Amino acid sequence: MRAFCGIDWAEGHHDIAVVDEAGQLVAKKRISDDLTGLEQLLVFLAHAGDDPADLVPVAVETPRGLMVAALRATGRPIYPINPLAVARYRERHSVSRTKSDHADAMTLANILRTDAHVHRRLPADTDLAQAVAVLARAHQDAVWRRSKATNELRSTLREYYPGFLEAVGSKSSTNLANAVARELLAIAPTPAAGAKLTKARIAAALRRAGRERGIEQSALRIRQALQEPQLRHPELVEEAFGRQALALLALLDIECRNADSLAEATAEAFGQHPDHEIITSFPGLSDSAGARILAEIGDDRTRFADARALKAYAGSAPVTRASGRSISITVRRIKNDRLAAAGWLWAFAAASHKSQTRAHYLARREHGDRHQAALRNLFNRMLGQLYYCLQTGRLYDPVKAFPNQLPPPAPIGDLAA
């Protein structure tokens, strides 16, 4: 008898249901989220017909967690099903939209019974690839939190201390996550404190931030900028803003240290992976970006049937909707958001190189694509090339990748223009 198992996941317990080929309930059980619960589940599956040569497949609404990791170690097929898809399947059997944990477990089991072929199995990635994924995603989250903390601090400084932003910024941008800006703000959180800074204190702050050259000139320029007349709040209000800025600065310091620490750990783990040399042979893929790409596509070569499946997963391939005489081609919205974000950075970096990738980007712009569309097209093409290189074990070859493109002779301009 062929059996199918569904697990309705919860924080403290899990509901298990097993159905046969006819969709009839064979057994059901509620287990705890611990070692005892796993042992009960394995015994439960054994009684339901589990065979080492033909393990019972399991459907669950999440691809992560200790229970999923333990089931993965048994070698059985695991299918993570999107909760939205489960809700649509549930409506096939209940027009009243009633819901229970046991019914959801049965729905998951029946999804495998009827439509397992249209759902993607949990990939059989190696332990090292899974470790890289944990670190790369943590680093990506830390970078996003750092950006959020930077923007929040900048917004606060704009309210009461715009002179500081001008003093530490360049002509085009201000990076408050920079060590120099953080050191200066720590000793001058208000316009009054900034105006009193001496050249010696500013120079000392620059040295603490790691500056080694041009310290005297930079200290003089910053001192003059901080002493420029500017609009001011009343003294008490200004002091209050200063306390708020210091609190936000403390949060930014933590996020900067977290991002740096996780970047080192990610690069170390990624450097040990066999795919490191292939991935980093592509223009624009450093250890950080390359690790993010590996984290989302994994190293299970059977995960994607072809390059088109990978492109759809990344969201780089467009969506075509055709109905009668109406045909529309739009951006793919349903995708792996982490992979899409990493791909945008990859394409942006690759298009900044004076190479065939930039020539392709410029050709797409001349064709009529806007900046985002041209980058997406470049990412889509390079992702297909990466799929081929990983499948064949070959390094990136720019001549074969872009046979009709020559590196542009003109200097690199502003891509965002």
Side-chain angles (χ1 to χ4, degrees):
M1 179 193 70
R2 181 68 169 159
F4 306 89
C5 177
I7 302 179
D8 182 69
W9 184 91
E11 183 175 345
H13 63 268
H14 311 301
D15 281 86
I16 314 299
V18 176
V19 300
D20 59 16
E21 294 176 315
Q24 297 299 315
L25 180 65
V26 175
K28 66 177 182 177
K29 189 176 183 63
R30 172 169 288 186
I31 62 173
S32 56
D33 185 35
D34 53 20
L35 182 59
T36 302
L38 174 64
E39 294 173 347
Q40 293 175 349
L41 173 59
L42 295 179
V43 172
F44 180 73
L45 293 177
H47 291 164
D50 205 14
D51 188 331
D54 187 18
L55 295 172
V56 174
V58 174
V60 63
E61 289 179 313
T62 176
R64 57 183 59 89
L66 287 173
M67 186 64 69
V68 174
L71 288 173
R72 190 182 209 172
T74 64
R76 71 181 62 253
I78 301 176
Y79 292 82
I81 310 297
N82 190 298
L84 293 177
V86 177
R88 301 289 81 79
Y89 274 96
R90 189 192 307 127
E91 293 173 358
R92 295 169 56 186
H93 304 283
S94 175
V95 295
S96 63
R97 296 187 178 182
T98 56
K99 182 184 183 303
S100 69
D101 294 341
H102 166 63
D104 282 353
M106 280 198 63
T107 300
L108 286 164
N110 278 304
I111 289 175
L112 289 190
R113 180 180 66 86
T114 59
D115 294 329
H117 61 286
V118 299
H119 291 280
R120 186 180 288 116
R121 286 180 54 174
L122 194 66
D125 294 328
T126 62
D127 293 345
L128 180 56
Q130 295 179 51
V132 171
V134 171
L135 292 171
R137 290 167 182 167
H139 177 234
Q140 192 175 35
D141 289 337
V143 170
W144 287 341
R145 290 195 303 269
R146 183 180 65 188
S147 298
K148 179 182 178 181
T150 301
N151 292 335
E152 189 173 0
L153 178 58
R154 186 183 185 281
S155 177
T156 300
L157 291 174
R158 283 286 306 164
E159 289 192 42
Y160 81 104
Y161 201 180
F164 180 84
L165 298 176
E166 296 177 3
V168 301
S170 62
K171 294 182 179 179
S172 59
S173 64
T174 301
N175 183 12
L176 293 177
N178 184 282
V180 171
R182 290 185 283 130
E183 286 288 347
L184 288 174
L185 185 60
I187 61 176
T190 63
K196 296 177 182 178
L197 280 183
T198 64
K199 180 180 175 182
R201 290 194 66 190
I202 296 176
L206 295 178
R207 292 187 181 94
R208 288 196 300 270
R211 290 283 292 273
E212 296 180 353
R213 298 180 180 179
I215 293 179
E216 296 299 324
Q217 296 85 345
S218 296
L220 179 60
R221 179 188 61 79
I222 292 173
R223 181 171 178 269
Q224 292 174 347
L226 292 177
Q227 290 181 343
E228 287 287 330
Q230 58 180 299
L231 296 175
R232 300 272 295 272
H233 281 286
E235 183 178 354
L236 288 178
V237 178
E238 189 176 272
E239 289 293 333
F241 271 117
R243 294 294 297 271
Q244 180 186 7
L246 289 177
L248 294 175
L249 177 62
L251 179 62
L252 178 58
D253 285 336
I254 294 174
E255 297 302 344
C256 288
R257 289 195 296 270
N258 288 341
D260 293 340
S261 175
L262 288 168
E264 294 178 3
T266 302
E268 181 181 356
F270 180 48
Q272 301 173 13
H273 197 278
D275 292 341
H276 174 269
E277 185 179 7
I278 296 176
I279 294 176
T280 54
S281 68
F282 280 76
L285 281 185
S286 61
D287 282 348
S288 176
R292 294 181 188 180
I293 296 294
L294 176 64
E296 302 310 322
I297 67 176
D299 59 0
D300 182 359
R301 298 291 185 258
T302 64
R303 179 177 185 179
F304 301 101
D306 50 28
R308 294 179 61 186
L310 175 57
K311 293 176 181 179
Y313 181 69
S316 61
V319 174
T320 301
R321 293 183 174 89
S323 178
R325 297 182 180 180
S326 174
I327 298 178
S328 64
I329 301 176
T330 60
V331 177
R332 188 179 295 267
R333 302 296 181 184
I334 307 301
K335 59 184 182 296
N336 183 317
D337 291 333
R338 288 185 181 273
L339 181 55
W344 191 92
L345 293 176
W346 175 18
F348 188 90
S352 300
H353 290 179
K354 192 175 180 181
S355 62
Q356 285 84 351
T357 53
R358 177 163 178 79
H360 180 82
Y361 166 83
L362 294 176
R364 294 304 308 179
R365 292 302 303 269
E366 293 176 1
H367 181 70
D369 287 355
R370 297 177 67 87
H371 172 63
Q372 294 282 2
L375 287 183
R376 189 164 51 248
N377 184 280
L378 177 59
F379 171 46
N380 189 60
R381 181 159 180 171
M382 290 192 301
L383 192 61
Q385 296 163 2
L386 177 61
Y387 176 85
Y388 171 80
C389 290
L390 289 174
Q391 293 289 333
T392 60
R394 298 181 180 181
L395 299 180
Y396 170 79
D397 185 347
V399 177
K400 293 183 179 179
F402 298 93
N404 300 322
Q405 298 289 353
L406 295 176
I412 297 176
D414 183 9
L415 290 181

